[in-house]
Amino acid sequence: MSESLRYFSTRGRAPAATLSEAVAAGLAPDGGLYVPERLPTAAPADFDPRGSLADTAATLLAPFFAGDRLADELPAICAEALDFPVPLRALPHRDAQVLELFHGPTAAFKDVGARFLAACLRRLPRADERPLTILVATSGDTGAAVGAAFHRQPHVRVVILYPDGLVSPRQAHQLGCFGDNVRALRVAGRFDDCQRMVKAALNDAGLQHTVPLSSANSISLGRLLPQMSYYAHTALGWWREHGAPLDFIVPTGNLGNALACLWVRAMGLPVGEVRLACNANATVPEFFAGRDYAPREAVATLANAMDVGAPSNFERLRWTFGGDDAVLRQALHAQSVDDATIRHTIAMHADTHGEVFCPHTATAVHLLDRLRERGDTRPWAVVATAHPAKFDQVVEPLVGRPLPVPSALAAMLQRSASAAPMPASDDALKHRLQDPACA
Ligand SMILES: *Cc1c(COP(=O)(O)O)cnc(C)c1O
């Protein structure tokens, strides 16, 4: 067996952790994000050409888990979490591909990370008798995926924070429909407020003493690592068939999905160029255009799950390129897409080509459209992050017909839903977490 990897904080002021410790903690104690001491390398020949997504994941992630207490369980964790298809579908009118990541239980790619994290945490022994509270700030899709992954699991409670009025009605319904051990709080603020409140609670040692806390945001390694598997699986399949790397256009908010793609490339697997599609929240595109990194408050857009002004994985992105911004800017492109263009892209592709995309996916489709207009002929794969029916109020008027609802989503919409109001205050959340009446 290869040597075990240690995990360090991007801020360098936390002790080294094992994989299990890093996954269980979420955020490092110094407020940074866990990264491995180095990224392992891999080659196409390491993978079984007939393997499933779960098989690819188990091979890909084995060096990250080597020597850890979860290492023997990794194949079972992958099989349990990655049990739905992630098809690469041809988009003939653009001579491109769409990687559909929305066939899980809550119809967005967040199911991959949430289910894997849950499968890991279920297998980790806890010294503490008290239930673990998993805090999750969501801009729309993460909360439902985490709620679904932990619903009715014993000794775990999930507290979801979402920005009130800034998620789609169907997303809000999904977030509030679980009940039991999963509670939703609608915060009078933006996603960045929710994220800040979660971080403040996690960093409060006194609070952690009374209420054991963990997080399930895209800051968690337990979400980031499994997201690498669909890029590796897809790129390897393409490589075997075409003998060339596959280029990806990734819709981006907190940079978790995009980082997973970049880590697969950094490990030596055949991922080609990576382009990031952002909505009107242009923190990342402005950085790539040469300005200083300037996190800010998010603005609300049609692609609400990407309404992030201070992307939490930026620290990991910098780490990936050795902390050298010049190298980072060379390695990636990012572009901002406004709401009018998102609308136009959805309507035009539905009207002319019968293809329906969610508003997030539409940002990436627009980047593809621009590349093709400029005569680019590379084999791009556009990453489709959510099913359009989650955003029916935006998409249906643009395509002029009702969208079929995936059965898992339809079942959730049948249930009743509720969420408690919460001010955008760190202290208000801390009080609520300690209130036995809100258990
Ligand atoms: C979360 C989400 C994104 C953004 O993903 P990040 O990992 O935060 O960059 C894009 N699209 C959809 C539908 C999402 O739910």
Side-chain angles (χ1 to χ4, degrees), residues 52-331:
S52 64
L53 172 67
D55 297 331
T56 300
T59 304
L60 179 76
L61 300 182
F64 290 92
F65 279 67
D68 190 78
R69 66 188 313 157
L70 284 175
D72 292 344
E73 302 257 24
L74 179 62
I77 292 169
C78 293
E80 187 178 309
L82 303 173
D83 62 349
F84 52 87
V86 288
L88 185 70
R89 195 170 61 75
L91 193 61
H93 70 277
R94 284 286 178 272
D95 196 12
Q97 318 291 318
V98 181
L99 177 58
E100 292 186 347
L101 301 181
F102 53 69
H103 297 282
T106 68
F109 83 92
K110 303 293 201 306
D111 284 321
V112 171
R115 290 169 65 75
F116 188 92
L117 177 64
C120 289
L121 293 182
R122 251 196 288 287
R123 288 169 169 84
L124 287 177
R126 290 188 55 232
D128 210 308
E129 295 283 283
R130 296 167 300 171
L132 179 66
T133 298
I134 296 180
L135 290 177
V136 48
T138 184
S139 54
D141 291 324
T142 293
V146 172
F150 288 99
H151 188 209
R152 298 198 175 131
Q153 186 177 315
H155 308 304
V156 172
R157 110 179 135 149
V158 174
V159 177
I160 300 167
L161 286 78
Y162 71 88
D164 198 6
L166 297 179
V167 305
S168 85
R170 281 185 177 170
Q171 284 177 314
H173 194 103
Q174 270 190 323
L175 294 168
C177 82
F178 297 102
D180 306 313
N181 63 330
V182 180
R183 292 301 153 90
L185 305 177
R186 47 187 176 87
V187 173
R190 297 188 175 87
F191 169 70
D192 290 328
D193 294 307
C194 301
Q195 190 153 263
R196 186 204 68 234
M197 290 161 71
V198 165
K199 279 195 182 181
L202 290 169
N203 282 332
D204 185 327
L207 177 66
Q208 283 268 19
H209 194 68
T210 30
V211 184
L213 296 173
S214 184
S215 89
N217 280 94
S218 58
I219 52 179
S220 170
L221 262 184
R223 286 187 44 193
L224 184 59
L225 296 177
Q227 289 172 184
M228 296 167 66
S229 59
Y230 46 77
Y231 289 110
H233 193 67
T234 306
L236 286 165
W238 186 268
W239 172 263
R240 287 180 201 116
E241 208 175 317
H242 301 272
L246 186 58
D247 305 312
F248 288 93
I249 308 176
V250 188
T252 301
N254 258 320
L255 291 166
N257 197 10
L259 196 60
C261 185
L262 291 166
W263 279 15
V264 169
R265 182 171 79 179
M267 286 178 73
L269 294 177
V271 167
E273 195 177 327
V274 180
R275 293 199 173 219
L276 308 183
C278 298
N279 61 23
N281 290 284
T283 306
V284 170
E286 286 175 9
F287 168 81
F288 280 97
R291 292 195 226 160
D292 286 345
Y293 178 65
R296 67 200 72 162
E297 291 217 331
V299 298
T301 76
L302 295 174
N304 63 17
M306 293 157 43
D307 289 348
V308 179
S312 54
N313 274 301
F314 194 78
E315 289 185 35
R316 278 201 182 106
L317 185 64
R318 269 196 165 138
W319 169 85
T320 304
F321 294 91
D324 186 334
D325 286 351
V327 176
L328 172 53
R329 287 192 178 101
Q330 287 294 312

